[in-house]
Amino acid sequence: MLRLNTTRQLARSFPRLARSMASESSAADDVVSIDLPEYSFETYELDNAPELSFETEKSTLLQMYKDMVVIRRMEMAADALYKAKKIRGFCHLSVGQEAIAVGIENAINKKDSIITSYRCHGFTYMRGSPVKEVLGELMGRRCGVAYGKGGSMHMFTDGFYGGNGIVGAQVPLGAGLAFAHQYRGEKNCTWALYGDGAANQGQVFESFNMAKLWNLPCIFTCENNKYGMGTSAARSSAMTEYYKRGQYIPGLKVNGMDILAVYQAAKFAKDWSVSGNGPLVVEFETYRYGGHSMSDPGTTYRTREEVQNMRSRNDPIAGLKAHLIELDIATEEEVKAYDKAARKYVDEQVKEAENSPPPEAKMDILFEDVYVPGSEIPVLRGRLREDSWSFAKKGFAYR
């Protein structure tokens, strides 16, 4: 697993800095055997599936647990900040779906590309941005990952291309990112993620076609959380087996509530795509505990009992915790210590984000990220001639 020694990476990985616990340091590199249930994977037009039995490092399992706990805490903090009216506008949380972002990131490296839709906070954190930058962006603060100008749906960081608000629009962009890897001769892939609600978009199928024609290393990934906004998948899709939607592209369905299944599937998918096999359609069957967004109570189109049943029986964090204890990777007390450390880290990041100032009320801030510094055109044409902006003057060109 590639780990970058950058400020953002270190800021993200609070638990990675806390390796002093004796039991963890002595067993960090020990390998354990994992046996997944038979229902973990289903395939379509694939000659083989991910192995149900595999070996991995204890340190990897510990890291995935810590990552999921931080994301859960971060999303809960966003929930509280929204209700306190410190976050405005749209806000889509991924509580319940943490295993997907964490499982993928721990299976690939930073040279692989990820692009997703608006439920993107966990991916932004996993790609290297600290919680402060994620929450700062939600609150419109200058410390935000997009300097407070993007908000919940528009987050970007190294190797992560959003955070896209237009339903399904990120999928053709993901195909383009995969084309870039292929063009440069890189042994890397792109994960283009979308929800079940976006799966019926025409641009998704156009992207499938182009990716197959050009044999692109693109992993089209449907996060099927059962509900597109307030509509169940069965009411919106004539065919709900999203991993078969590629038709001429092989597919893989994965239990997205099991981090170990996600991790194993992500390793398989990357190896498959970068080996010259072209695109793959992956469906992670998952579940969101909250509503579609903060404005949706999430209980008008499903019962509270349904949500509680998923929480109690299929929670990805509780599932991995059970494995850590069962495999003698961590004790109950150590797991509680990880949880406490995550809470402390997120609370500190919340305070830092709240104390960060908003962007200054200066016109040039609106134009500062249009071009890479030093590559600007002389004048950026505005809607009206009077709105055209001069980068040299740092002001309006014709006023």
Side-chain angles (χ1 to χ4, degrees), residues 22-51:
S23 64
E24 182 179 346
S25 60
S26 63
D29 295 322
D30 287 354
V31 172
V32 292
S33 297
I34 303 294
D35 294 309
L36 296 172
E38 290 187 3
Y39 58 78
S40 297
F41 310 117
E42 293 181 40
T43 63
Y44 168 74
E45 298 295 331
L46 269 176
D47 294 332
N48 57 344
E51 295 289 340

Side-chain angles (χ1 to χ4, degrees), residues 151-221:
S152 176
M153 296 189 287
H154 307 289
M155 296 191 177
F156 306 87
T157 192
D158 295 340
F160 179 63
Y161 299 87
N164 292 267
I166 305 300
V167 177
Q170 73 278 6
V171 180
L173 296 178
L177 290 167
F179 176 78
H181 286 308
Q182 183 190 76
Y183 184 81
R184 294 168 180 159
E186 299 166 344
K187 283 291 184 181
N188 296 103
C189 63
T190 295
W191 292 78
L193 294 109
Y194 55 96
D196 53 286
N200 298 317
Q201 285 276 322
Q203 58 196 327
V204 173
F205 295 95
E206 292 178 26
S207 302
F208 286 173
N209 185 59
M210 295 176 72
K212 185 62 176 179
L213 282 171
W214 296 341
N215 208 43
L216 301 180
C218 190
I219 302 169
F220 297 103
T221 309

Side-chain angles (χ1 to χ4, degrees), residues 226 257 287-289 302-316 318:
K226 308 297 186 180
M257 300 303 280
Y287 196 83
R288 56 172 164 83
Y289 297 160
R302 59 183 181 177
T303 64
R304 295 181 186 276
E305 290 72 24
E306 176 185 314
V307 178
Q308 185 56 41
N309 181 63
M310 291 297 295
R311 276 183 176 273
S312 60
R313 293 173 179 267
N314 297 284
D315 186 74

Side-chain angles (χ1 to χ4, degrees), residues 6 37 61 88 112 123 135 153 171 199 214 241 266 327 339 382 389:
T6 65
L61 301 185
R88 303 296 182 118
D112 297 309
F123 287 99
L135 296 180
M153 296 189 287
V171 180
W214 296 341
E241 293 176 301
L327 296 171
D339 295 345
W389 183 261

Side-chain angles (χ1 to χ4, degrees), residues 36-99:
L36 296 172
E38 290 187 3
Y39 58 78
S40 297
F41 310 117
E42 293 181 40
T43 63
Y44 168 74
E45 298 295 331
L46 269 176
D47 294 332
N48 57 344
E51 295 289 340
L52 293 173
S53 297
F54 65 97
E55 292 185 339
T56 191
E57 294 177 347
K58 290 182 178 181
S59 57
T60 300
L61 301 185
L62 280 169
Q63 190 58 56
M64 291 196 295
Y65 180 81
K66 294 172 182 179
D67 288 336
M68 284 199 293
V69 172
V70 169
I71 293 174
R72 176 73 58 90
R73 283 284 172 188
M74 178 178 69
E75 296 289 61
M76 291 170 64
D79 181 287
L81 290 167
Y82 191 95
K83 289 172 180 174
K85 298 185 178 180
K86 295 179 180 179
I87 294 175
R88 303 296 182 118
F90 294 102
C91 185
H92 306 84
L93 306 182
S94 61
V95 179
Q97 299 182 212
E98 297 90 351

Side-chain angles (χ1 to χ4, degrees), residues 42-47 239 243-253 280-281:
E42 293 181 40
T43 63
Y44 168 74
E45 298 295 331
L46 269 176
D47 294 332
M239 178 184 177
Y243 69 108
K244 297 181 180 180
R245 290 286 193 92
Q247 188 182 354
Y248 38 77
I249 299 176
L252 175 64
K253 183 179 180 179
L280 182 68
V281 176

